[in-house]
């Protein structure tokens, strides 16, 4: 019975593999389609090749620059425009990339000298992996095969580790001012098929006038970045002014009834500690690590539109409320999270923390704050807008006052 089961599994695997091979062959044979490259260029590619986006590769691309997609207006690479494409990508049940066919298309700026095609340079593919890992061979490894085909320069490498064999193929075409980097499983593409694909792709590339405008825009990146960040900072200052936490001066804490704020220009952020109020500690409040008060919390925390740093704590939504409380055994004020005695020691800059400690005068109370870093750097993934933050903290304050967060404990307005 067991042998019969193994035989069925083997036949099923062979059927699935055969279907994948047929699909791969159909993928390569199908009619090409015109793929738009963000209106900067276009190219003919086989079916199911899709544009992922543009990256800010720079003169020495690495895994980070080749993986982080950027809006063309915030690309400062004046040497080349770099696009990532992939074909028929899938994922495993675990969410990992499956059978990647990856193509990086680099269009060099005709106003600059193109890098020497014969010299080794980083392989321009954002994922460089096998199913079980394996070390990445250096770009000057003797394992790379090189060949000149007229004005074109070829480099290719057979990747062999614990997993299946793959190809890394590079075509550099100086007359067309372009470069193609290709990565695929060998069961998807033979070397001959990969080279034929790259030849046809290079021949089909058409640039648009917008590409010249793109490179001119890239040259003005620094001034545009500064103007955009100043605009974001100005928006933050305007909102903080409505609650008495402006004007701001670099490195100086601004205090008010709403809390305190600190502008740190070197990291392009405004750290705000917004006062949510205080709670009167009941005499019988249990204490744990570092005399942290174990306050009674509501079974279900209210949903407030704020970026949560902690996810969940003890099956409750983590509201990321910072708490100042008095530790009698250590004769000092301590900082922790309302829902946990742990906290991020780097969350509150020391100069801002000193300002909050100066406001803590009654040792019977715990003082509650919501601390957020309002980043105005345009490259940051963090929230930059002070408006939504202020709306969210007012909702937190209202829920605290209504007893929806710490029920049965006396609340005092800030």
């Amino acid at each position: 019975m067991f042998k019969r089961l193994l035989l069925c599994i083997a036949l099923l695997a062979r059927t699935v593999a055969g279907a994948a091979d047929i699909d791969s062959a159909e993928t390569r044979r199908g009619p090409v389609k015109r793929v738009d490259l963000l209106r900067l260029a276009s190219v003919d590619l086989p079916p199911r090749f899709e544009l992922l986006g543009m990256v800010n590769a720079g003169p020495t691309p690495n895994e980070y620059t080749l993986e982080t997609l950027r809006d063309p207006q915030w690309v400062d690479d004046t040497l080349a425009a770099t696009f990532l494409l992939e074909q028929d990508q899938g994922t495993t049940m675990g969410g990992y990339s499956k059978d990647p066919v990856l193509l990086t298309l680099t269009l060099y700026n005709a106003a600059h000298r193109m890098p020497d095609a014969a010299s080794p340079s980083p392989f321009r593919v954002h994922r460089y992996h096998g199913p079980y890992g394996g070390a990445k061979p250096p770009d000057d490894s003797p394992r790379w095969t090189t060949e000149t085909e007229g004005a074109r320069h070829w480099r290719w490498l057979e990747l062999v580790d614990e997993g299946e064999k793959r190809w890394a193929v590079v075509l550099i075409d100086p007359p067309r001012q372009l470069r193609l980097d290709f990565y695929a499983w060998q069961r998807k593409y033979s070397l001959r098929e990969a080279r034929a694909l790259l030849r046809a792709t290079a021949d089909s590339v058409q640039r648009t006038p917008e590409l010249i405008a793109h490179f001119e825009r890239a040259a003005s990146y620094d001034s545009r970045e500064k103007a955009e960040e100043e605009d974001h900072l100005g928006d933050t200052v305007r909102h903080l002014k409505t609650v008495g936490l402006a004007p701001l001066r670099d490195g100086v804490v601004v205090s008010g009834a709403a809390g305190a704020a600190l502008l740190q220009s070197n990291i392009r952020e405004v750290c705000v500690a917004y006062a949510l109020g205080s709670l009167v500690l009941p005499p019988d409040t249990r204490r744990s690590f570092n005399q942290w008060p174990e306050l009674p919390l509501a079974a279900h925390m209210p949903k407030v539109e704020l970026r949560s740093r902690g996810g969940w704590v003890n099956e409750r939504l983590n509201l990321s409320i910072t708490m100042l409380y008095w530790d009698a055994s250590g004769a000092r004020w301590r900082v922790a999270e309302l829902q946990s005695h742990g906290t991020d020691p780097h969350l509150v800059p020391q100069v801002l923390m000193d300002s909050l400690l100066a406001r803590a005068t009654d040792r019977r109370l715990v003082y509650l704050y919501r601390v957020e870093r309002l980043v105005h750097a345009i490259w940051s993934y963090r929230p930059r807008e002070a408006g939504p933050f202020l709306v969210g903290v007012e909702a937190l304050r209202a829920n605290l006052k209504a007893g929806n967060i710490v029920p049965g404990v006396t609340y005092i307005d800030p």
Side-chain angles (χ1 to χ4, degrees), residues 247-254 262-269:
L248 300 176
R249 285 193 299 140
D250 189 24
V252 178
V253 176
V254 177
L262 172 67
L263 169 63
Q264 296 176 288
S265 295
N266 60 325
I267 54 177
R268 287 176 278 186
E269 74 172 29

Side-chain angles (χ1 to χ4, degrees), residues 129-130 157-159 161 164-168 183-186:
H129 61 92
L157 176 67
E158 184 177 30
L159 297 168
D161 51 31
E164 295 186 52
K165 297 179 179 179
R166 290 101 62 216
W167 288 117
Y183 175 89
W185 257 240
Q186 288 189 16

